[in-house]
Amino acid sequence: MDVIFKPQVAKWDVFEVELKGKTEGNPFTDYRIQGYFKGEQEQVTADGFYNGDGSYKVRFMPSYEGEYTFVITGDFSEERAEGKFLVSAARKENHGPVRVVNKFHFSYEDGTKYYSIGTTCYVWELQSDELIAETLESLFATGFNKIRFCIFPKHYDYNLGEPRSYPYEGTPIDSSVLTSDNFNDYTASLGNLKKGNDWDFTRFNPEHFTHIENCIYELGKRGIEADLIVMHPYDRWGFSQMTKEQDDLYFNYVIARFAAFHNVWWSLANEYDLLPEKSMEDWERYASIICEKDPYHHLRSIHNCFGFYDHTRPWITHCSIQRQELYRSSELVNEWRAQFGKPVVLDEIAYEGNIQHGWGNISGEEMLRRFWEAALRGGYPGHSECFMSDDNILWWSHGGKLKGESWKRFQFLHDIMLETPGYGLMPYDKCGWDEICGVPEEEKEEPIKDYYLFYYSFMRPSFRTFYFDDKNEYDVEVIDSWNMTIESRGRYKGKFHIALPGRAFMAIRVKKSLS
């Protein structure tokens, strides 16, 4: 048997074994392939997948350095394959998968801090090569370190064209009749699935998935997490209407192909509650498949439209939240932390832009305010933008170039968060009623903190008065979150006043002096 693999791979990179196997019948459903990987410090079993043209693959993400062996078995072939390979030190830019630490926060597996600054581009990877390259360049330049996007194509307003590929063998419905006025008449999850699609839901299109893998890899090179949306309701092709058996086949295939990438997160669905044909039992079954088949235990969640999923469920690692109120979003992080006891990721707090839909036309100032307020309350905010354009290319779905103002200021916030002691902030409930204050999560039991970050949101005080104790000295800085400046105001003891410019979006950072 021909066995194709590289003899060496870096820690947390993808090690792949490719073999030839049976092609009779339907190889996507008729045959199984599985790999067993063994090193001195770990043993992992991973399912493989059929990649077309008689090619089968199994992938593995090693978490330790040293020598490994592998054994590939299954009825895809009459033979079994064995081999060995060496795992070298991790590449400088690869810190491993993101994990939950300290209950409400994240770090990379190697202990490096991770503060999520996310964005949403639902089908950026299903656009032209030129637009994809432009999106990757924009992501890297702006400092985003997470992006949410779909595996299935998207059907919605401003999304009436065809994607570059489809996940299954077959042909789509004619989209030439679609307009901004009638697109909901073709939305399957609203009960409007039209005739004309011709798909074989038992035969995947490997080119579709290979292309997505290339995009995940390119994101990983740039330090960006790929938050994969496995299902969603914005569909005219019937992908949201598959049977239980077809859904399960899809989930297993997706996990086998993508799980070995270190920068993958699983989002079971975007707006799961807009998929009326999927029951709670279905969602729990999908979750059980991921928990069983993903040997690396990547982060897992599910996103809502109206009603929250029960984020206390043990399979959910973090809350993926869309706001439930028109006005309040980040203001509720305290409640969600207390209710669910997990990291709160605000993947949708409305989007900066100027389209007609209320979820896509807040100002850049308001988006930045929501970012700062969420961060200081111990949450992780997410962005997107929806600006009208003649070509109907909106970042929120297609990527391309960013046009707003808020994104220019996220790296500044991220840098400040990296300077926070420990692994994240928690809301400090002993601050004034008219300010937001975050303190290090690790200092929750300390009566006097070593670090305070105060934020005044849309309020515009001309000064603030502070008193912590009479013993310690405190270094004070005034931060302008919009103009991205940090001004030292000196060292203080006892009761002291700090003058402010009377502008919105100001913050004050107070650090206990160590000298």
Side-chain angles (χ1 to χ4, degrees):
M1 178 190 294
D2 291 334
V3 184
I4 302 172
F5 66 96
K6 294 182 179 179
Q8 184 168 320
V9 65
K11 178 180 174 181
W12 294 314
D13 278 355
V14 176
F15 175 75
E16 180 179 277
V17 182
E18 181 178 5
L19 314 96
K20 290 296 183 178
K22 298 175 182 177
T23 58
E24 300 84 6
N26 182 356
F28 293 106
T29 58
D30 294 346
Y31 308 116
R32 297 290 179 267
I33 179 172
Q34 192 172 71
Y36 174 69
F37 303 87
K38 183 179 181 180
E40 185 177 343
Q41 299 182 72
E42 68 175 338
Q43 301 177 30
V44 170
T45 300
D47 285 348
F49 58 92
Y50 182 61
N51 196 49
D53 296 326
S55 170
Y56 291 79
K57 293 184 176 184
V58 185
R59 290 174 175 155
F60 168 61
M61 182 192 73
S63 297
Y64 300 93
E65 298 176 39
E67 187 175 83
Y68 280 74
T69 61
F70 68 83
V71 178
I72 309 297
T73 61
D75 58 4
F76 76 101
S77 173
E78 303 302 329
E79 305 176 60
R80 77 180 213 162
E82 299 182 9
K84 62 177 60 177
F85 59 99
L86 186 67
V87 178
S88 60
R91 292 177 292 108
K92 182 179 179 180
E93 66 272 19
N94 189 348
H95 300 286
V98 174
R99 307 298 191 192
V100 174
V101 295
N102 205 3
K103 189 175 180 179
F104 294 108
H105 303 287
F106 302 105
S107 79
Y108 295 101
E109 192 159 290
D110 70 356
T112 302
K113 293 183 180 183
Y114 176 79
Y115 294 104
S116 176
I117 300 291
T119 190
T120 292
C121 294
Y122 283 119
V123 284
W124 72 278
E125 87 286 12
L126 300 183
Q127 310 305 311
S128 67
D129 288 346
E130 293 76 18
L131 193 54
I132 289 171
E134 193 172 64
T135 303
L136 288 167
E137 182 179 347
S138 296
L139 288 167
F140 185 68
T142 56
F144 286 115
N145 59 20
K146 183 172 86 78
I147 181 172
R148 301 172 64 230
F149 62 99
C150 305
I151 299 170
F152 286 142
K154 182 184 175 88
H155 163 76
Y156 194 70
D157 202 4
Y158 306 105
N159 289 263
L160 306 181
E162 297 300 328
R164 66 183 291 151
S165 62
Y166 299 94
Y168 294 99
E169 293 184 9
T171 54
I173 191 173
D174 177 17
S175 62
S176 65
V177 298
L178 295 173
T179 69
S180 290
D181 294 324
N182 72 4
F183 72 91
N184 269 332
D185 296 337
Y186 292 79
T187 302
S189 60
L190 295 176
N192 298 326
L193 180 61
K194 304 295 186 183
K195 293 181 179 180
N197 290 299
D198 183 16
W199 305 109
D200 185 343
F201 292 124
T202 69
R203 290 183 179 271
F204 297 100
N205 174 14
E207 290 184 3
H208 179 85
F209 294 91
T210 298
H211 171 70
I212 293 177
E213 289 160 0
N214 291 336
C215 291
I216 294 172
Y217 174 73
E218 290 297 327
L219 292 171
K221 286 200 309 185
R222 294 161 172 81
I224 302 168
E225 301 297 301
D227 195 351
L228 297 178
I229 298 169
V230 186
M231 304 186 81
H232 68 80
Y234 301 105
D235 164 44
R236 65 174 177 264
W237 303 277
F239 305 139
S240 64
Q241 309 294 302
M242 296 188 300
T243 66
K244 286 180 171 60
E245 293 75 19
Q246 292 162 351
D247 285 345
D248 291 358
L249 182 67
Y250 166 63
F251 266 85
N252 277 279
Y253 192 73
V254 162
I255 296 165
R257 294 201 68 124
F258 299 150
F261 289 86
H262 72 272
N263 58 322
V264 158
W265 298 22
W266 303 117
S267 176
L268 266 66
N270 187 67
E271 299 182 345
Y272 80 95
D273 47 337
L274 297 189
L275 287 158
E277 296 191 8
K278 307 302 181 187
S279 67
M280 296 304 293
E281 289 76 15
D282 290 328
W283 296 117
E284 289 294 307
R285 190 181 73 259
Y286 305 147
S288 70
I289 294 172
I290 291 179
C291 290
E292 177 187 355
K293 294 302 180 70
D294 173 11
Y296 316 106
H297 311 294
H298 291 293
L299 296 176
R300 304 175 297 265
S301 195
I302 188 167
H303 174 267
N304 67 289
C305 183
F306 299 107
F308 285 160
Y309 205 89
D310 179 6
H311 293 300
T312 64
R313 294 291 299 147
W315 64 266
I316 293 179
T317 59
H318 65 284
C319 310
S320 173
I321 283 178
Q322 178 176 183
R323 76 201 190 289
Q324 292 182 304
E325 299 185 16
L326 179 60
Y327 298 110
R328 293 197 300 167
S329 55
S330 301
E331 294 85 348
L332 299 174
V333 168
N334 300 39
E335 297 178 23
W336 295 329
R337 279 171 47 106
Q339 180 180 357
F340 300 119
K342 295 177 181 178
V344 174
V345 181
L346 293 95
D347 282 314
E348 188 171 343
I349 49 178
Y351 302 140
E352 182 181 359
N354 59 7
I355 63 172
Q356 73 273 32
H357 306 297
W359 46 261
N361 55 28
I362 66 173
S363 68
E365 291 88 346
E366 176 60 13
M367 176 64 82
L368 186 68
R369 183 196 72 81
R370 295 182 185 196
F371 258 68
W372 271 77
E373 187 144 333
L376 266 67
R377 293 178 183 275
Y380 294 90
H383 154 279
S384 197
E385 62 171 49
C386 302
F387 285 96
M388 295 291 295
S389 64
D390 293 338
D391 55 12
N392 279 343
I393 293 177
L394 283 64
W395 174 269
W396 139 87
S397 200
H398 311 101
K401 289 185 178 179
L402 288 155
K403 302 173 182 176
E405 290 295 324
S406 61
W407 64 268
K408 301 174 184 177
R409 295 158 172 87
F410 295 153
Q411 185 65 57
F412 180 73
L413 171 60
H414 186 255
D415 291 344
I416 288 173
M417 294 301 295
L418 286 176
E419 296 171 1
T420 302
Y423 281 104
L425 292 175
M426 60 174 282
Y428 186 55
D429 57 8
K430 294 183 176 59
C431 63
W433 64 271
D434 56 350
E435 63 189 352
I436 301 104
C437 179
V439 297
E441 194 80 49
E442 286 83 352
E443 296 182 11
K444 63 180 67 177
E445 306 300 333
E446 301 297 326
I448 302 297
K449 316 300 181 183
D450 291 341
Y451 181 100
Y452 301 84
L453 186 56
F454 298 89
Y455 181 61
Y456 299 103
S457 186
F458 48 75
M459 294 168 283
R460 302 180 299 168
S462 59
F463 71 93
R464 295 296 291 192
T465 301
F466 297 91
Y467 173 76
F468 301 105
D469 59 21
D470 293 315
K471 176 183 176 181
N472 295 292
E473 293 185 323
Y474 295 88
D475 295 315
V476 179
E477 297 167 311
V478 171
I479 300 172
D480 186 328
S481 69
W482 185 257
N483 293 311
M484 296 180 286
T485 61
I486 301 176
E487 178 187 354
S488 175
R489 290 296 183 84
R491 184 168 293 179
Y492 298 85
K493 185 176 181 180
K495 187 175 182 180
F496 57 91
H497 301 271
I498 300 298
L500 292 167
R503 294 195 301 269
F505 316 127
M506 302 300 296
I508 294 177
R509 181 161 58 179
V510 180
K511 294 182 282 189
K512 187 186 294 184
S513 175
L514 301 178
S515 60

